[in-house]
Amino acid sequence: MTEPLYYQDPYLFEFQARILRRLTGDQGYGLVLDRTAFYPGGGGQPPDRGAIEDLPLLAITRDGDTPVHWVAQDPGKERVHCRVDALRRLDNMQQHTGQHLISACLLKVGGFETVSVHFGEQYTAVEIDREAIAGEQIQQAEALANRIVAEARLVETYWLSPEEIHRIPLRKKPPAREKIRIVEIDGLDWSACGGTHVRKTSEVGPVVFAGSEKIRGRMRLRWLIGDRVRAAYHRQREWLHQMSVQLTSAAEELPERIARLLEERKALARQVHFLNTRLGELLADSLSSKAQPVGRWQLVHFNAGTEFGPDFLRPLMQRLIARPGLVAVLACQNDAASAFWMVGASEDCRLDFARLLPPLLPIMGDARGGGRGTVWQGKCSGTPKLEAFVRALKARLSEGESHG
Ligand SMILES: [Zn+2]
């Protein structure tokens, strides 16, 4: 039987203990102690971290009801000095007490019942039994919680038997057990809880609503509690500062500045579209005026390199093959490792691409792709050997002319 010191005094962060039993396992050495201030986890609160004789505590598991403390090595003595990671535990105590406080305030302002809670590294989340909550009600709950923090009300814990629990207005009935641990926030809340808590609500620190999401048809409300509020403020202030510097704008003017930038971006996109269309028309004229006669057809080819992408080449291809008797080969470089290619022909060319192209594509390199009718497109690794491909295509087309 290990004496749980964290229940008697949650502020005890250093203690001496005697090793009762040693276990070995994948995690190293498991120590069963006669007493422990390491909270083993439970009620959503994560297990403590810390050290036993300077050996970092790796995990706490349970052997029945008995906590087992895992370390990498045998400490080599019977009496050990143990140290709890106090900052992390104090944060857990703020989060746990803060959650009781928030749940009680949500119940008070609008009858919102807490269905589940989640203690994350960043936020403490409270899921309520409704699919909606008004912003005003969240504000009321937040204001009430902070008022009770300011009142420095006592937070007490005690054990009651199942026969005794009718004496207190429990927020949520626990499953019947031998003895139930009650956490009471003076005059506000009575909850069954096995976690660690602060002594007074003032130690919870500020309680701030930090966002919500709908999950399984219920609202999940995220909260920043205690020292995390200050940390979050400084983190967010740094983001704002970086944005201000990049956009050369005061923080309070950022929303307006960003809205204006997005408007400008839309106008630019419209202009780019207009210019691309006009450029595509001119390029189609210029390319077709320089088309080379190959048998019965005219052939054009154009490698846009990195200047234009597939989105520019596709409409260009449509413009080219709208002209009679034209065969076109287009390509562009996506990046150093891959290129995009297109081969197209006007309908009146009556070319059978399914027969014509598959033997020729390997000449371009590692080309993959396909198409329907007389427009094919695909990808090619590295830089496509377009000149060689066009030469082979020309040869094939002249052949087709002489044989067809
Ligand atoms: Zn609790």
Side-chain angles (χ1 to χ4, degrees), residues 15-54:
F15 64 101
Q16 300 283 336
R18 202 159 55 80
I19 298 175
L20 297 181
R21 223 160 19 106
R22 287 171 162 81
L23 288 79
T24 50
D26 296 344
Q27 314 198 61
Y29 287 82
L31 308 177
V32 175
L33 307 174
D34 65 339
R35 58 213 293 266
T36 186
F38 291 116
Y39 183 68
Q45 184 178 328
D48 277 335
R49 290 186 191 145
I52 296 176
E53 289 292 332
D54 291 333

Side-chain angles (χ1 to χ4, degrees), residues 45 96-97 99-100 183 193-197:
Q45 184 178 328
H96 229 269
T97 317
Q99 179 265 309
H100 289 245
V183 178
C193 183
T196 53
H197 306 82

